[in-house]
Amino acid sequence: MRVGVPKEIKVEEYRVGLTPASVREYVAHGHEVVVQRGAGEGIGSGDDVYRQAGARIADTAEEVFSVADMIVKVKEPQPSEWTRLREGQIIFTYLHLAPDVPQTKGLLASGCTAVAYETVTDAHGGLPLLAPMSEVAGRLAIEAAGAALRKSADGMGKLLGGVPGVPPARVAVIGGGVVGTHAARMAAGLGSDVTVLDRSLPRLRVLDDLFAGRVRTRYATLEAIEQEIIAADVVIGAVLVPGASAPKLVSRAQLASMKRRAVLVDVAIDQGGCFETSKPTTHQAPTYLVDDIVHYCVANMPGAVPVTSSHALNHATLPFGLALASKELRALVEDPHLRAGLNIHRGRITNRAVAESQNLAVVMPEEALAS
C-alpha cells in the first residue's frame, strides 16, 4: 500500500502522523510511504531523515493526498483536506466527530473510510490510541493550570504547591480515567491538595490504592462536584464518553459560587468540552475570562510537546496502521477492536455515539463493511 503523511495544518500543531522510525517499519513491511516536505520539522526530523528511513518526499499536500491509499495524520482533517479525500481512501487519525458537524459532512461527502484513533478499543475495554495523548494532556493540564494561576496571567496569584506556612492550591479533578489519573499524579507531586471525582466505585478504589492517601477520592454526585468546585483553586475537566460529546458538568450559573480567578482546564474540549462556558482556544492565546473565572481550553494540548507526543502516539498506532496497510478493509473485518475505530465508511456513519450526537442515522460497521 502507498501511505501518505501530510504536514499538519491545524493552528499551532507540530506533531506528525508517522515518525521516521515508523516510516522504516512500514517500508520494511513492503509499503511505500510518501511524506510531505517539512512534515517532521516540529519534531526535529528533516526531510533527509525521512529519506534515510525509506520515505519519498512530496512537495505538496495535494500530491500526498492524490497518490496515497491511506492517509495517516494526527489531528482531524481540516476543510481544505476534506475535499482531497476520495472514495476508497482510508484516513487514520484523531477525528473527534461528535461536536464537529462540518467535518462529519465533509468526510461523508468524500466517500472515504475514516478510522478514528479515539474509538479504537482493546481487550480490556480501554482506548489504547487515545491513552498516550491522554497521559500527555493530563500532565500538561497541571502545568497549564499552574501558569494560569499566576497574577501575570490573570490568575489569583497562587502557587500550586504552596510553601511552608502557606497552604497549597486546591485542585479538583473531575474524571478518574487516564487524563484524571495523570493530572492528579502531577498535582499531588507538586504538593497540591487534590480531590478526584468519578462515578465508578471500582475506579475510585484503584485510585485510592494508587495514591495511598495522598489524593482524596469522591463519588461524583452533582452535590459533590458543586462542593469541590466551590472550594477549588483549579478544576480539571477530564471526563470522556467514547466517541460522544462530553457531558456538561459545570454550568455558567455555578461559576458565581467559585473563587474569583480560579482556573478551569477543559481537557475534554476536543469532544465539545465539559464546562458550559468552554470554547476552543490555542496555545498562542490559551485562556479567557468568563464571570471572573479563567478558562484554559486548548484543543490540541499535546501539540505543545510534539517530540514526546508524536513518539508516544506512534508507539500506540503503529500495529494498527500496519494492519490497515497490509490488509486494508479486511483488517477492520478481522479485528473487532480496530473496527470500533471505524466512524465513517463510504458516505455512512458507522459509530453510534457520533450519529446520536448529531441526530443522524447509523449503520453498524459490520453491515457497512459487508455491503
Side-chain angles (χ1 to χ4, degrees):
M1 176 183 278
R2 186 175 289 131
V3 179
V5 184
K7 183 178 177 67
E8 297 292 325
I9 59 174
K10 186 163 184 172
V11 176
E12 296 171 326
E13 180 53 67
Y14 305 106
R15 289 172 288 180
V16 63
L18 292 182
T19 63
S22 291
V23 168
R24 187 175 176 183
E25 293 289 334
Y26 275 85
V27 172
H29 282 77
H31 306 294
E32 180 184 351
V33 182
V34 182
V35 177
Q36 184 181 348
R37 188 176 303 280
E41 289 177 350
I43 65 167
S45 294
D47 297 336
D48 286 342
V49 178
Y50 277 95
R51 286 193 187 94
Q52 291 168 11
R56 176 167 72 85
I57 303 301
D59 288 330
T60 65
E62 184 176 8
E63 181 181 353
V64 172
F65 277 85
S66 66
V67 302
D69 303 303
M70 178 169 75
I71 297 293
V72 179
K73 282 176 44 62
V74 178
K75 290 305 292 179
E76 69 279 0
Q78 302 300 294
S80 65
E81 296 172 316
W82 305 337
T83 57
R84 293 185 174 130
L85 292 167
R86 63 181 184 275
E87 186 170 350
Q89 193 173 46
I90 298 171
I91 181 166
F92 190 39
T93 188
Y94 286 116
L95 293 176
H96 299 294
L97 287 175
D100 194 344
V101 174
Q103 186 198 170
T104 301
K105 291 180 177 178
L107 294 180
L108 288 171
S110 75
C112 75
T113 296
V115 182
Y117 294 159
E118 72 272 11
T119 60
V120 172
T121 60
D122 61 24
H124 309 290
L127 301 170
L129 307 192
L130 186 62
M133 295 304 92
S134 295
E135 292 165 352
V136 172
R139 296 182 180 215
L140 282 176
I142 299 304
E143 292 186 13
L149 277 174
R150 296 172 187 166
K151 200 70 174 177
S152 58
D154 290 329
M156 64 175 63
K158 183 174 285 191
L159 185 66
L160 278 172
V163 293
V166 181
R170 186 158 176 169
V171 178
V173 181
I174 306 177
V178 177
V179 170
T181 299
H182 283 264
R185 186 193 302 273
M186 289 289 285
L190 288 170
S192 300
D193 183 355
V194 184
T195 300
V196 180
L197 301 103
D198 199 279
R199 286 187 176 272
S200 167
L201 283 176
R203 185 59 190 166
L204 292 176
R205 292 188 181 103
V206 168
L207 292 171
D208 194 59
D209 289 341
L210 177 66
F211 291 111
R214 292 184 300 126
V215 168
R216 286 187 300 275
T217 57
R218 290 193 71 176
Y219 188 79
T221 61
L222 295 175
E223 182 178 25
I225 292 173
E226 187 170 72
Q227 289 173 351
E228 290 298 331
I229 66 171
I230 289 172
D233 303 297
V234 171
V235 180
I236 307 294
V239 295
L240 172 70
V241 179
S245 296
K248 300 294 188 256
L249 300 179
V250 176
S251 69
R252 178 162 189 170
Q254 289 175 308
L255 300 187
S257 63
M258 294 179 65
K259 296 178 182 178
R260 298 303 87 196
R261 300 302 171 105
V263 174
L264 298 179
V265 179
D266 198 338
V267 188
I269 192 64
D270 274 332
Q271 294 293 128
C274 59
F275 307 134
E276 184 183 355
T277 45
S278 291
K279 61 182 181 182
T281 60
T282 66
H283 293 291
Q284 190 172 19
T287 63
Y288 60 92
L289 289 171
V290 175
D291 297 340
D292 221 21
I293 303 299
V294 181
H295 291 59
Y296 179 100
C297 304
V298 174
N300 59 331
M301 290 176 64
V305 286
V307 175
T308 299
S309 297
S310 294
H311 287 285
L313 179 61
N314 271 245
H315 295 160
T317 59
L318 181 60
F320 295 96
L322 287 173
L324 283 168
S326 297
K327 300 180 180 180
E328 301 183 27
L329 296 184
R330 186 160 53 89
L332 298 168
V333 173
E334 294 178 356
D335 185 349
H337 302 297
L338 182 55
R339 189 167 63 244
L342 185 64
N343 279 210
I344 287 176
H345 180 58
R346 293 179 180 170
R348 295 185 288 182
I349 295 178
T350 54
N351 180 282
R352 185 177 297 279
V354 171
E356 291 177 350
S357 293
Q358 299 185 19
N359 295 315
L360 297 172
V362 64
V363 177
M364 289 297 96
E366 297 83 356
E367 180 183 346
L369 290 166
S371 60

